[in-house]
């Protein structure tokens, strides 16, 4: 994986974490055990520290950065959707940041909350725990139902399992020229199939 030391500070990737070879980690970045960093994620710890805590996931094309002296922390089981941007913010335990969402400096997304896709969490904004927020700027629209919190948690479990699968079986290969007659499909846990909220 492309990891770069800067000013004598190297990224840390704990044993049991998976960072895809096409993700980039620069400088003061810490990725704890069980976490998954997807292809083309950019974690640039050249001004502030980026700390991805245990069993979190940062999906494809995410950008994480901060102003000087400011940390970005994704707490345990944080779930950062494709192409999200986190800048100088805190994502508390079990929170889900939707695809293409931007979370700005000084913002805090509370534990087990969901910020919907294409939202903007403004600078210094606080989303309380177990809430659904959406829009630009994001507004809290209601408390999450327990089944939604459970579904979100199961989705995070799927990424923890994906971390283990990648560590065990991911390898670079040449593509096949034709589809095999008995081509297998990915085996997934039925509990993490999408259930769309009202």
């Amino acid at each position: 994986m492309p990891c770069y030391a800067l000013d004598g500070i190297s990224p840390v990737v704990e044993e049991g974490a998976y960072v895809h070879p096409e993700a980039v980690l620069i400088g003061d970045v810490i990725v704890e055990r069980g976490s998954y960093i997807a292809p083309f994620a950019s974690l640039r710890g050249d001004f502030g520290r980026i700390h991805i805590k245990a069993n979190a996931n940062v999906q494809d094309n995410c950008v994480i950065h901060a102003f000087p002296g400011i940390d970005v922390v994704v707490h345990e089981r944080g779930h950062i959707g494709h192409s999200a941007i986190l800048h100088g913010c805190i994502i508390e335990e079990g929170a889900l940041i939707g695809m293409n969402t931007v979370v700005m400096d000084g913002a805090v997304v509370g534990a087990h909350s969901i910020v919907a896709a294409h939202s903007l969490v403004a600078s210094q904004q606080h989303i309380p725990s177990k809430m659904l927020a959406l829009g630009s700027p994001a507004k809290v629209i209601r408390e999450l139902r327990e089944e939604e919190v459970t579904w979100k948690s199961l989705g995070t479990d799927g990424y923890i399992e994906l971390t283990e699968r990648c560590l065990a079986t991911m390898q670079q290969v040449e593509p096949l020229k034709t589809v095999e007659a008995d081509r297998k499909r990915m085996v997934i846990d039925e509990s993490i199939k999408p259930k769309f909220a009202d």
Side-chain angles (χ1 to χ4, degrees):
M1 78 193 78
C3 284
Y4 301 92
L6 184 64
D7 296 336
I9 301 173
S10 294
V12 175
V13 177
E14 291 186 353
E15 186 172 352
Y18 177 78
V19 178
H20 189 276
E22 294 188 16
V24 177
L25 279 54
I26 298 172
D28 195 1
V29 176
I30 301 166
V31 179
E32 291 188 10
R33 61 179 173 75
S35 290
Y36 174 85
I37 310 298
F40 309 114
S42 173
L43 284 66
R44 188 157 60 89
D46 50 10
F47 291 140
R49 174 171 293 168
I50 297 168
H51 194 160
I52 310 300
K53 294 200 174 183
N55 298 316
N57 65 80
V58 176
Q59 297 173 21
D60 316 68
N61 302 311
C62 288
V63 174
I64 303 182
H65 191 241
F67 287 129
I70 305 296
D71 291 357
V72 177
V73 182
V74 177
H75 282 273
E76 290 83 355
R77 296 178 62 83
H79 194 108
I80 312 303
H82 311 289
S83 299
I85 299 173
L86 306 182
H87 205 277
C89 59
I90 305 294
I91 310 301
E92 293 187 342
E93 180 178 351
L96 184 152
I97 306 302
M99 294 179 273
N100 285 304
T101 288
V102 177
V103 185
M104 291 300 297
D105 302 276
V108 177
V109 177
H112 309 290
S113 286
I114 295 175
V115 180
H118 292 283
S119 295
L120 169 65
V121 180
S123 180
Q124 308 300 319
Q125 186 175 3
H126 181 258
I127 306 295
S129 297
K130 290 191 175 180
M131 293 292 173
L132 174 63
L134 58 85
S136 183
K139 294 181 182 171
V140 173
I141 60 166
R142 65 173 170 81
E143 188 170 2
L144 288 171
R145 298 187 288 267
E146 280 308 311
E147 59 267 27
E148 293 170 317
V149 174
T150 299
W151 171 78
K152 177 180 55 63
S153 182
L154 290 170
T156 302
D157 288 344
Y159 269 92
I160 295 169
E161 180 188 350
L162 179 60
T163 298
E164 295 167 357
R165 289 169 54 206
C166 289
L167 287 169
T169 70
M170 178 80 78
Q171 56 184 310
Q172 190 167 5
V173 297
E174 290 296 320
L176 303 174
K177 301 296 183 191
T178 59
V179 178
E180 315 96 300
D182 59 347
R183 185 173 178 84
K184 297 190 310 183
R185 296 184 74 93
M186 296 291 173
V187 178
I188 62 161
D189 181 343
E190 290 294 314
S191 68
I192 64 170
K193 279 191 172 178
K195 295 177 180 68
F196 298 102
D198 298 333

